[in-house]
Amino acid sequence: MDFPPLAWQGLVVLVVFGVSLLIATYSTYAERVIAAFLQDRVGPDRAGPFGLAQPLADAVKLFTKEEFFPAGANRALFVFGPCLAMVTALMSSAVIPFGNVLQFGETAIHLQGIEINVGMLYVFGMVSLGVYGIMIGGWASNNKFSLLGAIRAASQNISYEIAMGLALIAVLMMSGTLSLREITFQQASDAPFVWQDIFNWNVMKQPLGFIIFIVCAFAETNRTPFDLPECETELIGGYHTEYSSMKMGLYLFAEYINVFVASAVMSVLYFGGFNFPFQAELRSWLVSSQGLELVTAQNIITILGLVGLFAKIFSFIFFFMWVRWTLPRFRYDQLMRLGWTILIPLAIFNIMLTGGLITFGVIK
């Protein structure tokens, strides 16, 4: 019996959530390995071959640790905070186009959880809701250090969301759509040379916008050098100081999922998404020289595009971790000054510059 299209899309959504959780799980392992490499020391190597079972050991530890509720804490909100942070992080990945279409007979499987024409607004909305998870957790802990960390997180995210949104406007001025899938298709090229393929990516047309976006992505994910909400030097552990067991794990998992989503969004917006150089030539070669049907050749291109997109995502994740173990964190006044007096004016200038280049036909 054939599955209805809705069933296939439901399966894709489950796979997307599962892949997001798996990548977040092994991002903790990658973080330790990369930190050990950059600091010239031995990383995890005891649990399983090459330490690959270390994330499983961490999960067992988090699940079996004693539950702890601080005195005077609001128990319901204390539990709800990390749950909200985790759910919103997972939901952000639903609109990311991980690949084109796989065609099997009459069945077409879109490698995307859901396709909506306001996909980028959906991602921004989910990211904004995630701040409430941090705020609720910090306030419900009945701890002044946790509350200060939550307030920091809220003000930091609001400040850098403005610059991030302004950087995104320049991309939308060129694309004319908020659909991540349409933005990806617009970056495809049938040019015969690899440099022309890559030149069609938005990073070549919006280098300043990309720099602003990636800096804001560090702030939105609370990664070093923008990890002031959980700064141990003055706030002990920040908003999750009072958390233990799997509630603490949900906050940590949400951070890594947000890093994955931010890397995927940057790959789609600026680096062509699932497009890769020579894909048009490869499709033609598979059809003309290898005698494959067009549908089969397109399925191969779709799978290669999926692999290419994940290669871009993993490169960004590595960059996030590389920066964490290289740069010290900012002071809070430096962080806010960077957001309000440097990034926002630069983003506005980038919008004006993009408008001028579009008006005079330099970029389309």
Side-chain angles (χ1 to χ4, degrees), residues 278-300:
F278 299 121
Q279 62 181 8
E281 290 82 353
L282 179 58
R283 185 189 300 109
S284 300
W285 178 78
L286 289 172
V287 173
S288 60
S289 299
Q290 300 302 307
L292 297 180
E293 294 182 358
L294 182 59
V295 173
T296 305
Q298 181 57 47
N299 285 345
I300 293 174

Side-chain angles (χ1 to χ4, degrees), residues 17 20-21 79-94 122-123 125-127 129-131 133-134 249-251 253-255 257-258 261:
F17 286 173
S20 300
L21 287 170
V79 174
F80 180 68
C83 294
L84 179 61
M86 184 68 174
V87 168
T88 53
L90 279 173
M91 290 177 66
S92 302
S93 62
Y122 173 88
V123 173
M126 289 298 106
V127 170
L129 286 176
V131 181
I134 296 175
L250 290 178
Y251 273 129
F253 266 70
E255 177 181 312
I257 293 175
N258 284 329
V261 171

Side-chain angles (χ1 to χ4, degrees), residues 81 85 130-139 146 149-150 153-154 157 222 229 239 251:
V131 181
Y132 285 97
I134 296 175
M135 276 297 299
I136 290 172
W139 179 82
S146 299
N157 286 20
N222 295 329
Y239 60 90
Y251 273 129

Side-chain angles (χ1 to χ4, degrees), residues 134 156-157 218-224 226-227 229 239 255:
I134 296 175
Q156 171 178 318
N157 286 20
F218 273 90
E220 290 292 305
T221 54
N222 295 329
R223 297 283 299 184
T224 307
F226 298 93
D227 61 337
Y239 60 90
E255 177 181 312

Side-chain angles (χ1 to χ4, degrees), residues 27-44:
S27 290
T28 62
Y29 170 78
E31 183 101 68
R32 297 179 183 187
V33 171
I34 292 170
F37 173 75
L38 294 175
Q39 297 173 351
D40 195 22
R41 59 180 174 82
V42 178

